[in-house]
Amino acid sequence: MSESERLRLAVIIGSTRSGRFGPTVAGWFAAKARRRADLEVDLIDLAEAGLPQNLTDQDEPVPPQVRALAPRLTAADAFAVVTPEYNRSFPAPLKTAIDWYYEEWQAKPVTFVAYGRESGGLHAIGQLREIFTELNAVAIRDAICLPRYWDLFAADGSWPKPTADCNAAAATALDRLSWWAHALRDARARRPYGT
Ligand SMILES: Cc1cc2nc3c(=O)[nH]c(=O)nc-3n(C[C@H](O)[C@H](O)[C@H](O)COP(=O)(O)O)c2cc1C
């Protein structure tokens, strides 16, 4: 597959908390994606992006951190949002990051990799689906939930165990995300979204 045919997948680390587990989850998923010949992965860490907490008004200049991240989101053909569950939802900095952008999300597929206690981030995913639908993105059916993710540590300290169900779930989600990303990239090339 040629360089230009490869899909660009942005994997977004939605947790910015100190001591967070998010980078471990995102690193695992990004590594799985990088093993595929059809995907080129950009790992975006919201803790590093440092987006301002307060949105600006339309006539104000766009903050430099927001401008800096925009081309990476624009370049993406697909997104994987890696999120923990906090109080039956997802972290506030992730919502702010989503709200800073608009066209960057639209007519592109999104999957979710969520983790937490017993619910495995299911509530966070449900809410993110609604938000990305509002942004004209396509939240695909296949997502990954990791309930009690700490039970998935292998004896040698690696994570997740090679036998964990999430390995197969990640492969399926990537297959389907890739299908949607190809379909929507072709469609965007034929006709810009919203015209
Ligand atoms: C403020 C807060 C609220 C939480 N609420 C939930 C919850 O509602 N459901 C759940 O399954 N886990 C909940 N947890 C557990 C987190 O999902 C778990 O601590 C996870 O490691 C947090 O992700 P992070 O380490 O990447 O920040 C909560 C954790 C925090 C810090």
Side-chain angles (χ1 to χ4, degrees), residues 14-155:
S15 162
T16 60
R17 188 179 69 84
S18 65
R20 64 206 168 129
F21 191 66
T24 303
V25 181
W28 159 73
F29 190 76
K32 281 212 166 299
R34 284 193 175 113
R35 269 181 233 133
R36 296 175 57 116
D38 60 338
L39 295 178
E40 184 183 307
V41 177
D42 182 16
L43 188 59
I44 296 176
D45 186 348
L46 294 185
E48 282 174 11
L51 301 174
Q53 196 181 333
N54 298 315
L55 300 179
T56 48
D57 210 347
Q58 273 176 344
D59 55 0
E60 289 182 75
V62 177
Q65 303 95 320
V66 178
R67 266 190 282 120
L69 184 58
R72 293 169 71 184
L73 299 178
T74 299
D77 297 304
F79 300 102
V81 177
V82 180
T83 182
E85 184 161 306
Y86 291 169
N87 297 320
R88 291 215 165 202
S89 186
F90 54 88
L94 174 57
K95 179 63 163 62
T96 308
I98 295 168
D99 291 343
W100 272 117
Y101 301 96
Y102 189 70
E103 283 93 355
E104 289 83 352
W105 307 117
Q106 71 188 14
K108 296 177 184 176
V110 189
T111 189
F112 307 99
V113 186
Y115 54 99
R117 295 192 297 252
E118 279 67 22
S119 70
L122 210 50
H123 303 106
I125 290 178
Q127 293 166 26
L128 284 164
R129 285 187 186 287
E130 285 188 39
I131 289 160
F132 277 102
T133 300
E134 175 64 19
L135 290 162
N136 302 304
V138 177
I140 70 165
R141 173 192 173 275
D142 296 271
I144 294 137
C145 275
L146 298 161
R148 296 176 56 85
Y149 62 84
W150 48 87
D151 288 341
L152 300 180
F153 278 97

